[in-house]
Amino acid sequence: MTAPLLEIRDLRTCIAAGDRVIRAVDGISLALNRGETFALLGESGSGKSLTALSVMRLLPDAGRVVGGEVRLEGKDLLALPERAMRDVRGRRIGMIFQEPGASLDPVMTVGDQVREVLDRHLGLRGSAADRRVLELFEAVGIPDPRRRMDEYPFQLSGGLKQRVMIAGALACEPELLIADEPTTALDVTIQAQVLGLLRDLQKRTGMAVLLITHDLGVVAEMAHRVAVMYAGELVETAPRERLFTAPAHPYTRKLFASVPGRHLRDAPLAAIGGQVPALWREFSGCRFVERCDHAFEACSNSQPAILQLEGGQAARCHLHDPRFAGRAARAATTVSAPLAAAREPMVAAPLLEVRDLAVHFPICRGVLKRVVGQVRAVDGLSLDLHAGRTLALVGESGCGKTTAGKAMVRLLEPTRGRVLLRGEDLTALGGAALRTRRRDFQIIFQDPFASLNPRMRLAEIVSEGMLALGVGGDAAARDRRVDELLEQVGLSTDMRHRYPHELSGGQRQRIAIARALAVEPKVIVCDEPTSALDVSVQAQILNLLRELQQRLGVAYLFITHNLSVVEFLAHEVAVMYLGRIVEHGGVGQVLESPRHPYTQALLAAVPRFDGQGERLRLRAEGDLPSPANPPAGCHFHPRCAHAQPTCRESYPSTVNVAPGHSVRCVLTGPAAS
Amino acid sequence: MLGYLARRLLYAIPILVGVNLLTFALFFVVNTPDDMARMQLGMKRVTPEAIERWKRERGYDRPVLWNGAAHGAAKATDTIFFDHSVKLFAFEFGKAESDGRDIREEICRRMGPSLAIALPVFLVGLAAYVSFALLMALFRATTLDFAGVVLCVVAMSISGMFYIIGGQYLVSKLWNLAPISGFAEGLAAWRFMLLPVAVALVAGFGESSRWYRTIFLEEMGRDYVRTARARGLSEARVMFRHVLRNALIPILTGVVVVIPSLFLGSLVMESFFGIPGLGSYTIDAINAQDFAVVRSMVFLGSVLYIVGLVLTDLSYTLVDPRIRFE
Amino acid sequence: MMPILPVILWTDALVFALLGCVAAFVWLTVSREHLRAPWRKVARSTSGMVAATVLACFVAVGLLDCLHYRKALLPEPGKAEQRWSPEVLSALDALAAPLRQRQERTFSAPFAVHGHSKESITRPDGTMAREYPRLKHGGAHLQDPARERGADIAAGASRGAAAAALAWVMLASLLTGVVAAARGSSFAAVSGAAWRGELDVPLRAVLLTAAVILLVAGPLIVLSGRYHVFGTDKVGQDVLYLTLKSIRTGLVIGTVTTLVMLPFALALGLMAGYFKGWVDDIIQYLYTTLSSIPGVLLIAAAVLMMQVYMDARPETFDSVTRRADFRLLFLCVILGVTSWTGLCRLLRGETLKLRELEFVQAARAFGLGPWRILARHVLPNVLHIVIISTVLGFSSLVLAEAVLSYVGVGVDPAMNSFGTMINAARLELAREPVVWWSLGAAFGCMLLLVLAANLFADAVRDALDPRVRADFLRASPWRQLAARTRPATKASS
């Protein structure tokens, strides 16, 4: 076996935060071979990005590598003088980042930004450089590269910007590409495109890829080998297949179990309780001990070392230590009891009926701000929601799903259409009448850090709705209710005097749920409530939401882009594309036999790790068009693999393909059948 | 882009009208011309005739807004408002109240000396402060940076007048290097410009350098800087090609807007150094309580400032592609 | 004890109102941990606390000078009615009575016993001579000044230093005791840790600063009873007294201006940002228009007009003090009018951001009205910007006062201020020998005040929100006054 391309030995990196030193990376060792994709998997705060930045020696000012070696073909990068290191960056190691929008210089054309690298490392200038840029842009799949070269980042979509970043990173054909969460900021269909591109490029050039990610799906799709990071340490290293079939470390196992999916529908997700420990403190035992179901005394007394297991697998866990073999067996695995399956048949009358809802935003131009156009964010949306059930509204960013949700709870004024709650038209209500109705419909937001007022105590936050809507009785009764709610969402009642900044993301989201529940709503619009959370925390919140539904009979309109969450939680699914619902039906119908090409592409784009082997590669090409100027006819036809001439002419009408399953596509219409 | 500029230009019109109405209200609604006359002529024993004469000489004896006694269009034009406010739009400032000279001529004559001081200060200052700030940013979090910041904070804590007084005392009186004050026509003026320019540069140093440093540091924390470094670019190239170009946008915001106002000169500098510019003109007018000149300068200052705003917008289109291609 | 009649001038009332606000804010902060946390950070900043110590001394002098009263006059025979002296004095005047009353004829140097220029003097023997006259008060107790003066000053200084040392020990024990009580550790432990610089609060630096201040102030106080320690000005007034009196003016300008403009900036900024639409258009138009007038010219025009107004109504402004006070207040108002635009724009931008935040949306989902949302959700989240802008604005206002007074549109010439001091003293630099002390005193005192204010402001900003840049203050038009290159920022959005 040849020597590894990149070898990291006992890397330690510290970050100064105020008067504390956080040991963000604490003794990482790994080796990366040529042509290999090595995934570094971890949740936020695990130190995976800082590991990558340490390799590049690009740490922020507060960060410092305090120990270890990073060897590129045997030469220690950490010992190189800065000048020599610069020759490595961009030439031998390329790097791409999470936010393609912020990572490109906004005032320089994208062509120039790539040309700059060519000039720096290869001395390429003038027309030779132009040719190479063109070549690179073609290689990364940028359409019309000659024109794009002279454009600025703000003129490009997110996916294209990431392609430009990749072109810049690959310009000098580096031996190693470090990709730090390269698709996290992108939509699933775009993510599938970018991941496919990275795979193709690797096949062609034979470079090694160090892929930093938190997404198990991405790992399954891309990696040859995987290292799992937790609290600054590697807890497990394994070849991909091995990791996905037989994860060795309890953390890894829990991580897998906490990913929602259809096969787990009727059981609660295995959430990991507690939080990642603070990294400024000293550890006497395993860092995962407080959250581990299998922990025994040795786990809190002695720090586990990395143990080599069979099949190239290694784990940092006492469970695999022969010395503790007897005790480990005694630590029984707790199996959570499946929740009672709640599959009541549909109630006759829907609780919430949305009829032809539209929200248009005017585009104002010119001297007098004349309205020159409309952004049709939501353009004729109809759906029904029954009591105690969950309807998932699925779509990529920019499809109008959040706007629709806000319009339904009257945070935005609809342009037309009606929203009927038990037959009462909410859009016709105003003033006091609307205010009293508001206790029936509430909303939970995406960002747990923006959704709580940092200047208010938790009790004030939770009781605000009761106070505003005049429910919940007098002060003492309200206090009791707050305690009850805190317990209901799994927080302790003595947290009522705390402030939001003392809480973790998951706890904040629990408070947001308690706040919405406080007024006993019939419908809660959940606007991506888990997309800002780590997968293990997401599992907690999803479990909570489902449990509350079963207990309280509240209906959810669940807005999300994450199809695995839909599988877990939803009864019905509506897929949205450019302001309209293109497919609507029961969760089994839509996810298992999708009829609309967009739904199919969306499902195909989701990385899977259930070992189903090679799956249907049906990609949506290109980007989401602007809702200000949607394509004529079917909005999806420019990206559709099955587009027919008729698709360009008129928007297809709704066709019922099965009871409760409707699709708007000519393929399913009478003409196609 | 043209539409954008046209919009900005049109936006300037209501602002100018607003400024005009505001000054009119300030000068003629708060006080009556009688009050002004009494103040000018000395308080107590002023005869009504003297007041009438004072008002007649300056055109304040007419109705404020509407002249019912006049005929035709003169009903609207033969008023204080038309004469003293509306005409400002045509830059007809009228005559000074104290010495009866034509204000517009005086302004044109005095713009030169003002600019002779303000322009070198502006240009040299911009270059010097930006370079110094870049230096501090390059050596951020080192002793050099710290010393620079301390120097800036101390420098900005000293009143500008002390720089002038100190400069005059040291350079002119003790060392005899430059004339203490005064001005000359033509090229001979350079000797008189030396000290004021130098003093102004020192006086503005602390605050500006510190501000630019903040901007640079802010830009240096952005993701694209990390990308540029990740591609192996040298620190100098990162600074000049990327940071400086991006920092130019906030810097221009503060800088371009004052370019037209350079004509106005600096009140204090010109008065201390005896430079016959618009600054000292304004000070003299204030001391002589010459309402007409003050009013004219208020309007002129606003016009120049608004021109500066439009220039700023124009400069954005040059440095910021996001606006250029809007 | 003579009865006195307390007088509350307009600016006094506002200063007291401001004190009330500060007290209320402190009370609010102390009870809330998350509000207290940033201030704890300020308390840990060495430069910030040193600056705060210096500022505290200035504030103490300024507050003493805000307690105004009128003395009783002896009743006229036959009338029972109590009459009051027309002269309005302050507590500082009472404390510094010797400084105020012992006026020389004209200039004299610091610690001088003779006048600054020769005068014709009639000798006891009847002959006329030109010589430096003895001062009426400065060093008048000395028989042979040439021989005794040095020793006398040294003796006075050491008495002062001894008193200062005593005061310092008391202060140090008090502060150490407070810190020890606050953290429940022993006095000895805290003082030891403080001495070694191991405390997280910079107690040592604060005490050292206090030591320096006391060591300067003690001897000065003792010596100022017999000498003019900072010399006298043209009309023979003690420069130390003038300097002390100037402090109040500077503080009032620096704080009351903010107090005056805050309601406008807050109300308009929040409304523009929250309601958007035509409300925003109007408010933006308003502040763009106001800020497009060069500040100094607007101030000049306004002050000129105010003079006309006051001259036309002599009956309202009867006493010199009242006149000067009204003018000071007006100056604060007009400075406020020209400076609210910067803060207003900043608050508008912040509100625009906040209103889209999800906690505000959640409040709207509960049907909360706009005013309650503004009060409960928006205002508490922009307060730190208001505080930062207040402390950052202070120093530039103090500097602006000096320039405005020079231009002739500042405070009343009868009022003591740094500006009037500089203005009166700058011409005397041309004298031979140079009269430098007035200028020197004003320079030193202003530098100390402004530098301390700047350092404190930086500490506060760093603790509350380092992202708030000072450049919105650059929009304040008074920056154009001094010889600065870049007086303003873009006003329209």
Side-chain angles (χ1 to χ4, degrees), chain B residues 241-289:
Chain B
R241 277 296 293 263
H242 295 279
V243 173
L244 191 57
R245 275 173 72 171
N246 278 282
L248 220 53
I249 298 168
I251 290 178
L252 279 180
T253 314
V255 167
V256 176
V257 73
V258 301
I259 294 178
S261 307
L262 293 178
F263 286 105
L264 289 182
S266 157
L267 267 64
V268 181
M269 293 288 293
E270 292 186 6
S271 140
F272 265 100
F273 288 105
I275 293 155
L278 282 179
S280 53
Y281 186 51
T282 314
I283 287 225
D284 292 345
I286 292 169
N287 289 331
Q289 297 178 329

Side-chain angles (χ1 to χ4, degrees), chain C residues 58-405:
Chain C
F58 278 105
V59 170
V61 173
L63 283 182
L64 276 179
D65 208 5
C66 281
L67 305 169
H68 285 104
Y69 65 91
R70 282 158 76 178
K71 270 189 186 159
L73 290 180
L74 293 175
E76 275 178 50
K79 285 188 184 165
E81 181 193 4
Q82 175 73 56
R83 291 178 316 125
W84 304 101
S85 153
E87 192 184 22
V88 178
L89 294 172
S90 73
L92 182 73
D93 290 327
L95 286 175
L99 291 182
R100 184 167 58 92
Q101 285 156 350
R102 296 180 317 142
Q103 201 163 342
E104 305 293 343
R105 268 213 307 286
T106 181
F107 293 113
S108 70
F111 294 107
V113 290
H114 295 286
H116 184 62
S117 48
K118 288 184 176 168
E119 286 175 23
S120 300
I121 287 176
T122 315
R123 290 238 173 92
D125 56 10
T127 56
M128 297 284 283
R130 278 194 72 78
E131 60 180 38
Y132 296 107
R134 270 301 285 271
L135 295 179
K136 260 193 289 182
H137 305 284
H141 61 294
L142 302 177
Q143 297 299 320
D144 183 358
R147 219 157 31 80
E148 298 166 21
R149 194 177 70 142
D152 186 59
I153 291 175
S158 42
R159 275 204 307 284
L166 195 69
W168 185 81
V169 168
M170 277 159 40
L171 181 77
S173 334
L174 182 73
L175 284 183
T176 316
V178 168
V179 174
R183 20 196 95 205
S185 56
S186 79
F187 185 87
V190 168
S191 55
W195 184 245
R196 291 187 300 275
E198 286 164 2
L199 278 184
D200 53 353
V201 287
L203 185 60
R204 182 173 63 170
V206 167
L207 288 178
L208 281 178
T209 315
V212 172
I213 295 173
L214 285 170
L215 277 180
V216 173
L220 273 186
I221 291 171
V222 172
L223 290 171
S224 68
R226 302 207 156 152
Y227 297 92
H228 299 291
V229 286
F230 285 179
T232 55
D233 73 351
K234 191 170 186 174
V235 292
Q237 279 182 303
D238 190 290
V239 173
L240 176 62
Y241 175 70
L242 296 180
T243 314
L244 288 177
K245 293 290 282 182
S246 301
I247 290 172
R248 173 182 184 266
T249 314
L251 291 180
V252 166
I253 294 256
T255 54
V256 172
T257 299
T258 317
L259 189 73
V260 169
M261 68 130 168
L262 263 189
F264 295 98
L266 258 179
L268 295 180
L270 293 192
M271 277 163 61
Y274 190 79
F275 293 112
K276 303 209 283 194
W278 61 270
V279 178
D280 188 25
D281 287 343
I282 289 179
I283 293 172
Q284 277 202 65
Y285 171 71
L286 203 66
Y287 70 59
T288 313
T289 304
L290 259 181
S291 63
S292 74
I293 304 178
V296 65
L297 291 171
L298 183 60
I299 294 168
V303 170
L304 275 186
M305 286 304 118
M306 178 209 48
Q307 277 174 338
V308 174
Y309 180 86
M310 276 166 51
D311 283 347
R313 288 157 191 80
E315 66 287 349
T316 322
F317 307 101
D318 45 357
S319 77
V320 179
T321 320
R322 229 169 255 289
R323 237 186 114 86
D325 184 68
F326 181 79
R327 186 154 165 176
L328 178 63
L329 177 66
F330 185 81
L331 193 64
C332 289
V333 171
I334 190 71
L335 274 171
V337 167
T338 53
S339 64
W340 67 271
T341 54
L343 181 60
C344 183
R345 190 163 66 238
L346 196 74
L347 290 174
R348 169 181 170 271
E350 196 64 22
T351 309
L352 274 176
K353 262 185 265 167
L354 281 172
R355 83 185 293 276
E356 299 304 327
L357 279 192
E358 296 174 344
F359 67 81
V360 175
Q361 304 245 352
R364 283 170 57 204
F366 285 129
L368 244 68
W371 300 107
R372 266 179 79 185
I373 290 181
L374 279 177
R376 271 172 78 89
H377 293 284
V378 181
L379 182 64
N381 284 296
V382 298
L383 263 190
H384 66 283
I385 295 181
V386 172
I387 294 168
I388 294 173
S389 76
T390 308
V391 289
L392 280 177
F394 176 83
S395 56
S396 40
L397 285 165
V398 174
L399 291 177
E401 184 277 327
V403 176
L404 287 176
S405 294

Side-chain angles (χ1 to χ4, degrees), chain A residues 30-50:
Chain A
L30 52 89
L32 193 61
N33 298 319
R34 284 173 194 285
E36 179 184 48
T37 299
F38 190 97
L40 201 51
L41 175 75
E43 295 185 287
S44 53
S46 62
K48 55 191 192 305
S49 286
L50 284 170

Side-chain angles (χ1 to χ4, degrees), chain B residues 153-190:
Chain B
V153 174
V154 173
M156 63 191 269
S157 302
I158 296 174
S159 169
M161 301 212 298
F162 288 115
Y163 288 109
I164 301 176
I165 296 170
Q168 280 184 332
Y169 183 73
L170 286 179
V171 178
S172 301
K173 199 169 170 196
L174 284 188
W175 303 336
N176 244 327
L177 292 178
I180 205 160
S181 72
F183 204 73
E185 291 294 318
L187 286 175
W190 73 267

Side-chain angles (χ1 to χ4, degrees), chain B residues 27-295:
Chain B
F27 278 88
F28 295 104
V29 179
V30 178
N31 297 292
T32 61
D34 288 51
D35 293 334
M36 285 194 270
R38 215 168 285 131
M39 166 120 170
Q40 279 273 311
L41 298 170
M43 285 317 295
K44 301 289 179 290
R45 296 165 286 279
V46 182
T47 57
E49 293 78 45
I51 290 177
E52 279 310 313
R53 194 171 56 244
W54 187 91
K55 279 162 59 183
R56 201 164 43 249
E57 280 166 6
R58 287 157 185 81
Y60 292 155
D61 54 345
R62 283 165 293 173
V64 173
L65 280 178
W66 187 252
N67 193 347
H71 299 284
K75 274 185 198 290
T77 58
D78 195 19
T79 58
I80 294 184
F81 178 66
F82 188 82
D83 236 25
H84 293 278
S85 272
V86 180
K87 280 186 177 174
L88 290 180
F89 284 112
F91 295 105
E92 283 182 29
F93 298 125
K95 291 195 179 351
E97 283 164 16
S98 47
D99 54 11
R101 289 206 226 171
D102 189 74
I103 297 177
R104 183 159 58 174
E105 275 172 27
E106 197 74 356
I107 286 174
C108 292
R109 206 161 52 76
R110 283 169 174 265
M111 270 185 177
S114 282
L115 209 58
I117 305 290
L119 198 64
V121 171
F122 174 78
L123 293 176
V124 178
L126 188 63
Y129 306 151
V130 166
S131 321
F132 187 73
L134 260 177
L135 204 68
M136 284 196 281
L138 255 177
F139 291 92
R140 65 193 177 284
T142 64
T143 322
L144 187 79
D145 179 33
F146 179 75
V149 173
V150 169
L151 194 67
C152 287
V153 174
V154 173
M156 63 191 269
S157 302
I158 296 174
S159 169
M161 301 212 298
F162 288 115
Y163 288 109
I164 301 176
I165 296 170
Q168 280 184 332
Y169 183 73
L170 286 179
V171 178
S172 301
K173 199 169 170 196
L174 284 188
W175 303 336
N176 244 327
L177 292 178
I180 205 160
S181 72
F183 204 73
E185 291 294 318
L187 286 175
W190 73 267
R191 285 189 37 207
F192 293 98
M193 284 162 53
L194 276 183
L195 184 58
V197 170
V199 165
L201 283 177
V202 174
F205 152 79
E207 200 189 335
S208 306
S209 305
R210 193 166 175 232
W211 186 55
Y212 295 145
R213 175 182 171 273
T214 323
I215 291 177
F216 287 136
L217 286 186
E218 205 165 282
E219 283 301 324
M220 286 170 76
R222 300 212 192 277
D223 281 356
Y224 69 82
V225 174
R226 190 178 59 186
T227 309
R229 290 201 186 115
R231 291 178 176 173
L233 301 188
S234 67
E235 199 63 7
R237 198 178 162 88
V238 171
M239 279 309 258
F240 287 102
R241 277 296 293 263
H242 295 279
V243 173
L244 191 57
R245 275 173 72 171
N246 278 282
L248 220 53
I249 298 168
I251 290 178
L252 279 180
T253 314
V255 167
V256 176
V257 73
V258 301
I259 294 178
S261 307
L262 293 178
F263 286 105
L264 289 182
S266 157
L267 267 64
V268 181
M269 293 288 293
E270 292 186 6
S271 140
F272 265 100
F273 288 105
I275 293 155
L278 282 179
S280 53
Y281 186 51
T282 314
I283 287 225
D284 292 345
I286 292 169
N287 289 331
Q289 297 178 329
D290 189 326
F291 305 108
V293 175
V294 173
R295 201 164 52 229

